[in-house]
Amino acid sequence: MPDTTPATSSVLPALSALTTQAERLIELGVHEIAGLPATDIRTFAAAAEAAAGGDGALLAVHPDRAPASALAPLLRRDDKPGFVVTDMADVDGFAPCTVELPEAPLHLLTGLDRGDHIANWSPDEALPALTEENRTPLLLTEGIHWVLQQPAALERNRCFMTIGSRLLKADGTLDARTPAIWISNGTGRDGRERRNAPKVGWCWWGNRHTWLGFASATGRRGGEFQDPGGSREQRKVLVAEPRA
């Protein structure tokens, strides 16, 4: 078994209000990537914020609408854009696995944790531990959304895997690669110009890394929230089938 001694964790600042997060996504053009009117994101965020009372939730777009390949370049660190490693051209094929995702264009994640305390575990070891704690692993796109809204979530020696996303191979087995988000050292094929840039890459399912935790949440919710401008009987529902 891996060392279970809790790692030293950084105390992250609280996430911005959902309405502020909505404006951030719109500023970055995520609504255009997702094919959503900006007003839909604003309405969803305002209604969810009124219903949830500002509980530190993260606003995320369904990966079928905003894939990792489109979101990763929006990341920034030291004014350098994020990127996907060259040997992960199939990044958008990493889909939700053992994760129930709301069938809606937008959803919320609650109780985010970077998993510093289980750094140096393998994904194979971490997944059952998270399940036992009633936590759900983040998808790669959800991890990117987190760093877009809270860049401090990505620190040197305290980065994270997103093991809610797996790639199903043609033979029906799971690819041994596991997506992760960390900070480039500017070595190898990354190129020196990418040193300190946010990096979407992968690690083997059975390997351990001292500097990678496992991002997770207490749950997801989406769909129905009371319209803040309406009565108790009037509800605003944003539910749509994800794009094919």
Side-chain angles (χ1 to χ4, degrees):
M1 284 296 294
D3 180 6
T4 57
T5 303
T8 302
S9 300
S10 294
V11 177
L12 296 175
L15 276 163
S16 301
L18 291 171
T19 49
T20 303
Q21 292 182 43
E23 294 305 321
R24 171 69 172 155
L25 294 181
I26 293 165
E27 173 191 344
L28 292 170
V30 174
H31 65 300
E32 296 175 343
I33 293 170
L36 290 170
T39 52
D40 281 7
I41 296 183
R42 289 187 174 110
T43 299
F44 180 94
E49 192 170 290
D55 61 355
L58 174 70
L59 175 63
V61 180
H62 196 288
D64 284 355
R65 288 182 171 263
S69 63
L71 293 177
L74 303 179
L75 295 167
R76 288 291 184 280
R77 190 175 189 275
D78 290 350
D79 293 325
K80 295 181 180 180
F83 68 99
V84 179
V85 294
T86 57
D87 56 352
M88 205 176 181
D90 52 0
V91 64
D92 293 337
F94 286 76
C97 182
T98 69
V99 168
E100 288 191 21
L101 201 61
E103 291 188 356
L106 301 166
H107 64 273
L108 304 180
L109 293 113
T110 55
L112 292 177
D113 184 79
R114 194 168 53 189
D116 293 358
H117 66 293
I118 49 175
N120 205 31
W121 291 39
S122 70
D124 189 46
E125 294 160 336
L127 182 58
L130 292 174
T131 302
E132 188 174 342
E133 296 172 5
N134 292 317
R135 299 191 63 84
T136 176
L138 259 58
L139 306 180
L140 173 57
T141 52
E142 292 172 339
I144 295 174
H145 273 89
W146 188 9
V147 180
L148 285 175
Q149 299 288 357
Q150 194 174 53
L154 200 65
E155 301 179 76
R156 280 212 173 273
N157 301 317
R158 294 189 184 94
C159 302
F160 57 85
M161 297 191 201
T162 52
I163 60 175
S165 296
R166 300 292 304 276
L167 176 65
L168 189 65
K169 298 192 294 186
D171 64 3
T173 62
L174 289 169
D175 194 284
R177 291 172 297 166
T178 306
I181 307 172
W182 71 92
I183 300 167
S184 175
N185 285 325
T187 57
R189 286 179 290 181
D190 289 2
R192 286 184 295 177
E193 70 281 2
R194 283 176 165 164
R195 178 172 173 76
N196 293 326
K199 171 178 177 176
V200 171
W202 57 271
C203 302
W204 296 119
W205 182 256
N207 286 7
R208 302 171 184 168
H209 299 275
T210 58
W211 43 278
L212 285 174
F214 295 85
S216 67
T218 53
R220 297 173 179 82
R221 64 178 188 268
E224 187 173 346
F225 297 100
Q226 183 172 325
D227 183 350
S231 68
R232 290 181 181 273
E233 291 74 29
Q234 295 174 318
R235 299 215 171 242
K236 186 73 175 180
V237 182
L238 264 178
V239 176
E241 289 298 322
R243 292 190 304 185

